[in-house]
Amino acid sequence: MKLRIAIQKAGRLHEDSVRILRDCGIDLNNGANKLKTEASNFPLEVFFLRDDDIPQYVEDGVADAGIVGENIVLERQKQVHVLERLGFGRCRLSIAVSRTLNYHSLADLNGLRIATSYPVIVGKFLEKNHIRAEIHEISGSVEIAPGIGLADAIGDLVSSGSTLFMNGLQEVETILASEAVLIAAKSLSVDRDLVLKKLLFRINAVRKARNNKYILLNAPNDKLKQIIGLLPGMKSPTVLPLAEEGWSSVHSVVNEDDFWEIIENLKANGAQGILVVPIEKMIL
Ligand code: ATP
Ligand code: MG
């Protein structure tokens, strides 16, 4: 039995969604403008859909799983499980107002007209903060609403903020930090659930690998102890003698987040010839 997964047909999440499946070793038969495709080496069928529709399809059981922004999951309020954050499609849902408005606090939103494509999330945010404002639901180009007099503020997705800037807006409140997530239907047949677990296992291995680097370096033996102390590795670093007397080669795995700091400390402790290579899969 094949697992049916829905991903975005075109747009910001499409490429990264395809890439994560490919990085899981899944071969997708490529075909532009196709509605669906099958993997040749994994029991998976991929549907290409508009992101907004994905939670509904998963709830209805038309698809078993999906890759979609958390923002869409929260807005649509469908009965689906969120299984894993995927580390791409990062953005935030924020409130922005005209730069000419002298904004001090949330209370300044009282009485404003707020244009958004996310009436549920924005509505809940206002309610939680006891703000009385009027929500105008619009489906696209939200950022131009204040400029054309349709609204006083907007609730929209932001990543760099350049769109807001170009439209004379300032970001004043962040409601939600979002990224792409893997969602699944609440109940799946036993065999589909098994495929989903396999997929999840692979996604985990890919995610960990993306967050880590393999590092190789040469260390003078009299500094080995300090250098090993800087490199926890998966169990402990591998140490091999070099042909040159008094030197060793040290291999380990380092986390992306601490990467530059570790490199600086390694150099300060006499490490030389440091090589850093990407890891394809990582299974702990
Ligand atoms: P579709 O045609 O599938 O409905 P769309 O136009 O609604 O596409 P995109 O603009 O491609 O959607 O955005 C898809 C998702 O990418 C968003 O729901 C969000 O999770 C994420 N995203 C990341 N950065 C941004 C950003 N700066 N603006 C909008 N969405 C972003
Ligand atoms: Mg959409």
Side-chain angles (χ1 to χ4, degrees), residues 3-207:
L3 184 78
R4 300 157 305 169
I5 190 169
I7 67 172
Q8 195 188 22
K9 183 175 170 56
R12 287 186 157 96
L13 300 181
H14 173 80
E15 263 180 45
D16 285 330
S17 303
V18 170
R19 182 173 308 130
I20 201 162
L21 295 176
R22 290 227 162 98
D23 287 354
C24 286
I26 298 170
D27 278 338
L28 298 180
N29 308 313
N30 216 353
N33 294 319
K34 275 214 258 178
L35 286 178
K36 59 178 189 174
T37 186
E38 285 185 10
S40 53
N41 60 352
F42 193 80
L44 189 75
E45 202 172 354
V46 182
F47 297 163
F48 301 107
L49 299 169
R50 287 208 51 190
D51 65 347
D52 315 69
D53 300 333
I54 291 176
Q56 179 80 63
Y57 279 109
V58 173
E59 182 186 86
D60 292 347
V62 176
D64 306 307
I67 295 178
V68 68
E70 215 178 357
N71 50 302
I72 298 285
V73 179
L74 292 171
E75 180 64 26
R76 300 280 140 180
Q77 300 185 293
K78 300 297 173 195
Q79 295 299 309
V80 298
H81 284 306
V82 174
L83 299 182
E84 176 93 11
R85 303 173 77 84
L86 299 175
F88 60 85
R90 286 210 170 93
C91 57
R92 48 196 192 274
L93 179 60
S94 291
I95 303 269
V97 300
S98 164
R99 268 209 299 282
T100 58
L101 189 89
N102 202 348
Y103 187 91
H104 293 292
S105 73
L106 265 172
D108 294 338
L109 297 176
N110 271 312
L112 299 189
R113 295 164 302 161
I114 305 178
T116 185
S117 309
Y118 295 89
V120 171
I121 301 176
V122 173
K124 281 187 180 165
F125 173 79
L126 296 177
E127 200 184 302
K128 193 182 82 194
N129 290 289
H130 312 291
I131 304 293
R132 296 176 67 95
E134 208 180 294
I135 293 180
H136 283 254
E137 182 177 356
I138 52 178
S139 60
S141 304
V142 173
E143 68 281 359
I144 65 166
I148 59 174
L150 191 73
D152 312 298
I154 64 167
D156 204 8
L157 298 176
V158 187
S159 43
S160 69
S162 59
T163 307
L164 294 184
F165 186 82
M166 282 188 306
N167 285 282
L169 301 171
Q170 54 174 329
E171 188 176 352
V172 292
E173 302 290 341
T174 302
I175 303 180
L176 167 80
S178 177
E179 67 186 86
V181 291
L182 178 71
I183 59 170
K186 289 223 153 155
S187 73
L188 283 180
S189 66
V190 178
D191 33 2
R192 284 191 166 132
D193 196 48
L194 209 67
V195 182
L196 180 64
K197 292 216 166 76
K198 277 190 188 172
L199 178 66
L200 203 54
F201 179 80
R202 293 191 188 190
I203 288 178
N204 264 310
V206 169
R207 294 266 294 127

Side-chain angles (χ1 to χ4, degrees), residues 208-225:
K208 284 201 195 87
R210 284 182 184 174
N211 286 332
N212 288 278
K213 301 271 182 261
Y214 194 72
I215 181 165
L216 306 94
L217 57 91
N218 295 331
N221 286 346
D222 58 347
K223 286 283 174 59
L224 212 46
K225 215 169 167 190

